Amino acid sequence: MAESRASQQAAHGSPERLRVAIGCGVGATIETYDFIGFGTAAALYFGDVFFPDSDPLSATLLSFATLGIGFAARPLGGIVAGHLGDRVGRKPVLVGSLLLMGIATVLIGCLPTYQMVGVWAPILLVAVRVIQGLAFGAEWGGAILMTFEHAPWRRRGLYTGITQAGFPVGLLLANLAFLLSRHTLDDTWAWRVPFLLSALLIAVGIFIRLKIDESPQFEDAKESGELVKNPLLTVIREDWRNLLRAFCLRTTETAGYAVSVTFVLSYLDDGDAPDVSSTTTLTALVTAAALGIAATTLWGRLSDRVGRRPVYLFGCAVSVVWGIPLFLFVNTETAGLVTVAFLISYAVCQNCLAGVQGAWFCELFATKTRTAGTSLAYQLSAVVSGFTPMIATALYSGTGWMGPAVLFTCYGLLGFVATLVTRETWGESERRETDRVVTASAEPALKAAH
């Protein structure tokens, strides 16, 4: 019976494969809206709102430090979610993480400013940001694994790419919200309303996720007694090399985004930097995010056809050579070239890697430790990326734009080397074996038809 289910899964996936992918993608959209919205607000507003006694550069550094604290909390969320996901199930983690993120994000929109309560304002901001980090840390592993384990084997890149596409959708909605609020509301409400609006999205997301079925692979592992008592310790002890490789692969993508998008937003908003309006930068980012919705899915689909490593190598190679041209483009102060800069940074450098990660990371780890392994590797890299805008700002203060440009290139080089030393999980031999399993599953139906 188990072999029959495995054959059917290989050929067709579960009956709910598409609904699960879209449902997890919707949740990813909401969580990204909440988490990335904080990054946009940190770049554009929080320096003045929560750290007004500092000079402009110090206020930006403090604002980005608060951004980084949320990323630092993500590994803990990933550890807890990884343990629960491999012991209790994928679905409860998905619902809980989304609910926690929603509460924290709405609270950000309600926070008092420094002018209202003094030093308590940044303290409260940090506390709520930590809650956001815990929730976001719990999100990715559960969403990706649910999609991966419901998907047909030959299209896992495509299906996980659909879920990963929820992140550019969230980025698009977050920046659209800030773009509209910046021009329709005064400074008191311009940063609050986007956070408060997330309450509506959370209600929709919870409703969708409650209707998603548990992962069939987890259910099979549970029935056969393959679950381990401590997934986290097991994966660290038995599979630490893949943890390290996935950490480096992920760092290139997320830290690269932190330089090329989060820092660049602040860089272009700086009075001493190129004279580019916030409308131009946010419009460029919205355009890139819109293209990224399709790009992420297509990169994942391409990895189904040619393998995970070739696609990832391409994305890392582009990142290696893109650091300096990125800043040369935005320094022109030309709206068209600024838009092109965001398009390449996001739709190519970031989306290419993100579109492959879902399937590749899941294939690196066994079912019994898959949530723990992917979540831990994915979220540990968030510590690096979370403080990258602050590091880039510090480099900029000492070396100008060349410092952040070289930092971006170094992240690309890290990913390129990590890709070379990470095994291909979907090469020709794996694709042939999957074809054999699929063919075998179809034989009984053909015999019955005759």
Side-chain angles (χ1 to χ4, degrees):
M1 182 67 70
E3 291 182 1
S4 176
R5 284 200 303 266
S7 297
Q8 290 298 315
Q9 181 73 20
H12 308 293
S14 77
E16 294 193 331
R17 57 192 179 276
L18 185 58
R19 189 171 76 175
V20 169
I22 294 175
C24 289
V26 169
T29 295
I30 296 166
E31 298 233 9
T32 303
Y33 174 94
D34 295 344
F35 204 76
I36 296 300
F38 192 103
T40 302
L44 300 178
Y45 295 105
F46 285 173
D48 295 330
V49 173
F50 292 98
F51 308 100
D53 287 348
S54 306
D55 63 83
L57 180 60
S58 297
T60 300
L61 282 169
L62 290 170
S63 182
F64 280 149
T66 306
L67 174 70
I69 288 170
F71 281 87
R74 282 170 61 172
L76 180 57
I79 289 170
V80 174
H83 178 82
L84 294 176
D86 286 329
R87 289 290 300 165
V88 179
R90 321 309 197 199
K91 180 177 176 178
V93 173
L94 286 178
V95 175
S97 65
L98 187 59
L99 182 61
L100 188 63
M101 174 65 83
I103 293 171
T105 303
V106 172
L107 285 176
I108 290 175
C110 300
L111 287 178
T113 66
Y114 188 92
Q115 291 181 339
M116 295 178 179
V117 296
V119 72
W120 280 105
I123 291 174
L124 291 171
L125 180 66
V126 168
V128 177
R129 180 61 175 170
V130 168
I131 297 174
Q132 263 199 329
L134 294 172
F136 200 80
E139 162 65 21
W140 187 83
I144 286 296
L145 289 183
M146 282 285 282
T147 303
F148 177 87
E149 292 175 350
H150 277 273
W153 293 3
R154 289 183 294 192
R155 306 183 76 187
R156 282 169 166 172
L158 171 63
Y159 277 85
T160 55
I162 292 173
T163 295
Q164 288 284 69
F167 293 93
V169 175
L171 175 67
L172 172 65
L173 293 178
N175 286 286
L176 276 176
F178 277 99
L179 181 63
L180 293 173
S181 68
R182 194 171 178 88
H183 292 282
T184 59
L185 301 171
D186 58 32
D187 289 343
T188 302
W189 289 99
W191 64 271
R192 292 184 184 276
V193 169
F195 292 113
L196 296 174
L197 286 176
S198 70
L200 300 176
L201 298 176
I202 296 298
V204 174
I206 292 292
F207 176 77
I208 292 175
R209 287 198 167 178
L210 286 173
K211 291 184 172 294
I212 292 176
D213 288 341
E214 183 58 87
S215 158
Q217 289 189 26
F218 175 80
E219 295 286 9
D220 288 344
K222 185 177 180 180
E223 289 177 11
S224 61
E226 295 178 6
L227 302 183
V228 294
K229 184 176 181 180
N230 195 321
L232 179 62
L233 290 180
T234 301
V235 77
I236 291 175
R237 182 175 61 249
E238 299 179 359
D239 218 0
W240 63 268
R241 291 178 180 84
N242 277 330
L243 280 174
L244 180 59
R245 292 172 185 133
F247 165 81
C248 294
L249 292 170
R250 164 66 175 162
T251 296
T252 296
E253 178 253 311
T254 187
Y257 173 90
V259 176
S260 61
V261 176
T262 304
F263 170 75
V264 168
L265 275 174
S266 176
Y267 171 69
L268 294 177
D269 196 51
D270 185 353
D272 296 329
D275 185 16
V276 180
S277 70
S278 60
T279 301
T280 297
T281 56
L282 285 175
T283 301
L285 185 54
V286 164
T287 303
L291 180 62
I293 297 168
T296 303
T297 304
L298 292 174
W299 288 120
R301 179 57 178 150
L302 181 61
S303 77
D304 285 332
R305 295 180 178 274
V306 303
R308 316 304 183 201
R309 287 180 67 187
V311 181
Y312 219 90
L313 278 173
F314 173 77
C316 291
V318 174
S319 297
V320 169
V321 302
W322 177 238
I324 292 176
L326 163 62
F327 284 88
L328 292 178
F329 273 46
V330 299
N331 287 343
T332 63
E333 304 181 2
T334 304
L337 289 179
V338 170
T339 301
V340 170
F342 277 109
L343 287 174
I344 295 175
S345 296
Y346 192 65
V348 179
C349 296
Q350 198 271 347
N351 293 158
C352 178
L353 307 184
V356 180
Q357 284 172 5
W360 200 10
F361 287 11
C362 290
E363 290 163 350
L364 287 172
F365 298 96
T367 302
K368 63 182 181 180
T369 58
R370 187 169 286 152
T371 312
T374 56
S375 294
L376 185 60
Y378 194 86
Q379 302 306 340
L380 281 176
S381 67
V383 178
V384 179
S385 60
F387 290 99
T388 290
M390 186 176 65
I391 296 170
T393 302
L395 288 172
Y396 170 65
S397 68
T399 64
W401 62 265
M402 184 61 73
V406 172
L407 179 64
F408 182 84
T409 295
C410 289
Y411 284 136
L413 186 60
L414 173 67
F416 192 86
V417 173
T419 304
L420 292 176
V421 300
T422 303
R423 69 181 174 90
E424 174 63 82
T425 58
W426 191 242
E428 290 186 10
S429 61
E430 288 83 7
R431 296 197 292 272
R432 283 197 301 269
E433 175 61 19
T434 295
D435 289 340
R436 185 193 66 78
V437 173
V438 170
T439 300
S441 71
E443 288 177 355
L446 290 174
K447 290 179 180 179
H450 291 288

